[in-house]
Amino acid sequence: MKKIFFLGFCFTALNVHAQKTTKTTAPKKTPGTTKKATPVLKNLNDSVSYAIGLSVAKFYSQQGINQLNGALVSRAINDVFTKKPELLTEEQANLAVMRFLNPGLFKNIEEGEKFLAANKKRPGVKTTASGIQYEVITQGTGPKPEVTDTVEVHYAGTLINGAEFDNSYKRGSTISFPLGGVIRGWTEALQLMPVGSKYKLYIPHALGYGMNDNGQIPGGSVLVFEVDLLGIKGK
């Protein structure tokens, strides 16, 4: 919020305070005179409180939220200031706002969760403790990489609807990278693979690119990869 915004309200509050402390002569009542309303902003604390409310309302209005339950907004503020139990955790609160602002994101997440729930029931699909699913297409006999290794792979990546977003096979060149420098799903899954293996990986959004868009990959997407582990650099 611009500094002038707060200065304006502080100036208002000081004027109100000055009016209280300066003795004035009350105007004589005349027939038909309307009684003036009592000022809402009675002191500096009132002005600052209202200023913060304006700031919050304008910020969320710019984000597309044009209707709020004022009573619950007030309750949330009071719960924090009076240290009462909060109705939502910080994570739940953030998710609620994100879900409201970006319903398409949560549609991707829900579709991904349904896909994984059905996929894990297929014969040959294994699931790790973190939620990664994988199928062994070819089981190699070489060593398994460690998180500190650099690996060489060929791979193809798609979304659950089959839309392809990357393919090193089509480019005709392999790719090498430090195993600890990629998405968490790859870091974990490739450590399961002996060199010479080809696996099909199904990576939940939380172990992929999370809720953020990444090129052709919408936020909240499950990632599907076919990966050939060709070698471990230095081994």
Side-chain angles (χ1 to χ4, degrees), residues 17-193:
H17 181 71
Q19 291 169 9
K20 284 188 173 184
T21 56
T22 303
K23 186 175 180 180
T24 58
T25 303
K28 294 181 180 180
K29 293 183 179 180
T30 57
T33 299
T34 303
K35 185 178 180 181
K36 291 184 179 181
T38 302
V40 175
L41 306 178
K42 299 179 180 179
N43 50 45
L44 181 58
N45 184 273
D46 287 354
S47 294
V48 171
S49 299
Y50 189 74
I52 291 173
L54 282 178
S55 176
V56 171
K58 288 182 178 181
F59 172 79
Y60 283 107
S61 177
Q62 291 169 357
Q63 309 308 310
I65 299 179
N66 297 313
Q67 291 185 345
L68 288 175
N69 186 325
L72 286 175
V73 172
S74 178
R75 174 172 175 174
I77 293 171
N78 289 329
D79 285 349
V80 171
F81 285 164
T82 59
K83 301 187 184 307
K84 290 181 180 178
E86 298 170 13
L87 301 182
L88 298 173
T89 64
E90 185 174 355
E91 181 181 5
Q92 289 171 331
N94 290 335
L95 285 173
V97 173
M98 291 178 67
R99 185 163 192 163
F100 186 89
L101 294 176
N102 193 349
L105 168 65
F106 283 84
K107 180 181 179 182
N108 288 340
I109 293 175
E110 290 170 358
E111 289 178 349
E113 289 174 346
K114 289 179 181 178
F115 171 85
L116 292 173
N119 192 60
K120 70 187 299 183
K121 298 176 183 178
R122 294 195 303 107
V125 174
K126 301 178 182 179
T127 305
T128 69
S130 67
I132 294 172
Q133 297 176 7
Y134 66 95
E135 295 177 81
V136 178
I137 299 173
T138 303
Q139 185 72 0
T141 57
K144 294 180 180 179
E146 298 177 359
V147 69
T148 55
D149 289 329
T150 294
V151 296
E152 181 184 8
V153 304
H154 250 321
Y155 71 96
T158 66
L159 304 176
I160 59 175
N161 62 6
E164 186 175 273
F165 55 81
D166 202 359
N167 192 320
S168 70
Y169 301 103
K170 290 181 179 179
R171 289 196 300 271
S173 61
T174 63
I175 182 171
S176 298
F177 52 84
L179 194 51
V182 289
I183 59 173
R184 289 166 54 199
W186 270 52
T187 300
E188 177 184 335
L190 266 68
Q191 290 183 78
L192 302 174
M193 299 174 63

Side-chain angles (χ1 to χ4, degrees), residues 1 5 23 36 64 84 92 104 132 189 206 216 222 224 235:
M1 183 185 299
F5 183 83
K23 186 175 180 180
K36 291 184 179 181
K84 290 181 180 178
Q92 289 171 331
I132 294 172
Q216 303 175 58
V222 170
V224 182
K235 291 189 179 180

